[in-house]
Amino acid sequence: MTTTIAESLQLLQHADGEAAIVFDRARLPQAGYGLFEPAAWGGEARPVGERGGRGAAWFVRGEFGEAVLRHYRRGGLVARFNRDRYLWRGADRTRSFAEFRLLAELRGLGLPVPAPIAAGYRRRGLTYTADILVQRIPGARSLAELLGDDLDAPPWARVGEVLAAFHRAGVCHADLNAHNILIDPECAVWLIDFDRGRRRRVADDWRHANLRRLQRSLLKLRGIHAVEAVMRCHRVIVAGYESAWAGEAA
């Protein structure tokens, strides 16, 4: 699945300041900021209901195929007074450009992430808002959704193996939870939502912290399932992870 992205940059102006879009010209010959406006898609933009509760993602379809449009929104306490603005620190450090380029890099490494299609920011003074458009994985369901079904259905060991591949490449996912792991109809495992993700020197502390974060997410979303049943699933993830990690190190 090793691929490269033919990146193009387009600078724009809007009523309050400047804007810019970076996009894959192989998938999108030209781009305007209307690409990131759900209203511009009319009935083609459908809210993504189960993702994280911030109401900032939509399924869309265009010449590039099916995609997910996401508007970056704040979380936690800061969201009470600042819903979606971030401090300007330069175009290359915007949340959207950083995620677009990280996804392109990971695709180049052959890791299972959605292809980035376009990303943009709108700057006003010392702050900006941001948006990203990425490939939708056809027929995929999140691990969070699958938790509502038979616990034997998800490929738990394979999840661990895929996480080991990301960690071996030094990829630290900033929010590794059950919503951000997708299983497609062929039982292939994908990771999504790399906002604030980065590549770093491989170290045991952040590797294990990633796995613990996933464990907390599975327990939080376990629904009717017993804690021990979910813990067994997590142990299978860890076993798959450790097996793959040891195999790659051999």
Side-chain angles (χ1 to χ4, degrees):
M1 194 187 67
T2 303
T3 57
T4 57
I5 302 296
E7 180 182 313
S8 288
L9 176 67
Q10 186 167 337
L11 301 177
L12 306 167
Q13 295 291 324
H14 63 91
D16 297 321
E18 67 184 44
I21 302 171
V22 63
F23 60 98
D24 180 0
R25 63 177 178 270
R27 290 176 177 266
L28 199 65
Q30 56 185 353
Y33 219 90
L35 190 70
F36 304 116
E37 301 289 349
W41 293 92
E44 293 297 317
R46 296 181 292 109
V48 180
E50 63 94 14
R51 294 297 327 286
R54 297 185 193 175
W58 299 263
F59 292 129
V60 298
R61 177 191 290 272
E63 58 190 284
F64 41 73
E66 292 192 349
V68 178
L69 168 63
R70 192 172 84 247
H71 181 67
Y72 289 78
R73 285 195 180 170
R74 294 282 195 173
L77 293 176
V78 70
R80 296 182 179 180
F81 58 88
N82 178 7
R83 187 174 65 175
D84 64 353
R85 303 205 69 83
Y86 300 89
L87 180 65
W88 177 256
R89 296 186 295 171
D92 290 341
R93 299 183 68 180
T94 58
R95 306 284 275 259
S96 50
F97 277 25
E99 184 172 359
F100 180 98
R101 288 167 176 158
L102 178 59
L103 287 173
E105 184 178 3
L106 300 186
R107 295 274 296 183
L109 294 173
L111 292 170
V113 299
I117 299 171
Y121 69 80
R122 281 182 172 175
R123 180 186 177 189
R124 186 177 67 214
L126 296 177
T127 64
Y128 72 94
T129 60
D131 303 272
I132 194 168
L133 186 69
V134 301
Q135 169 197 19
R136 182 180 181 184
I137 309 302
R141 300 177 68 195
S142 73
L143 209 52
E145 290 180 274
L146 293 174
L147 275 175
D149 299 335
D150 183 357
L151 286 182
D152 292 331
W156 299 109
R158 182 58 184 156
V159 170
E161 293 166 3
V162 170
L163 294 179
F166 277 89
H167 287 175
R168 179 65 62 188
V171 181
C172 181
H173 195 293
D175 189 16
L176 188 62
N177 63 54
H179 291 291
N180 290 334
I181 299 174
L182 301 186
I183 314 297
D184 73 17
E186 284 71 48
C187 284
V189 178
W190 301 73
L191 262 60
I192 62 171
D193 283 9
F194 279 84
D195 180 26
R196 297 181 295 111
R198 61 191 175 110
R199 295 187 72 190
R200 56 191 301 188
R201 184 178 64 83
V202 178
D204 289 345
D205 57 352
W206 66 260
R207 289 196 302 118
H208 297 155
N210 253 197
L211 295 175
R212 289 193 299 271
R213 188 180 186 93
L214 177 56
Q215 179 190 76
R216 292 194 298 271
S217 173
L218 293 173
L219 290 172
K220 180 180 178 180
L221 298 168
R222 66 186 175 86
I224 63 172
H225 302 296
V227 169
E228 180 53 33
V230 174
M231 288 298 294
R232 282 197 301 270
C233 296
H234 186 262
R235 286 194 291 270
V236 176
I237 291 176
V238 173
Y241 180 98
E242 296 294 353
S243 177
W245 189 264
E248 291 169 356

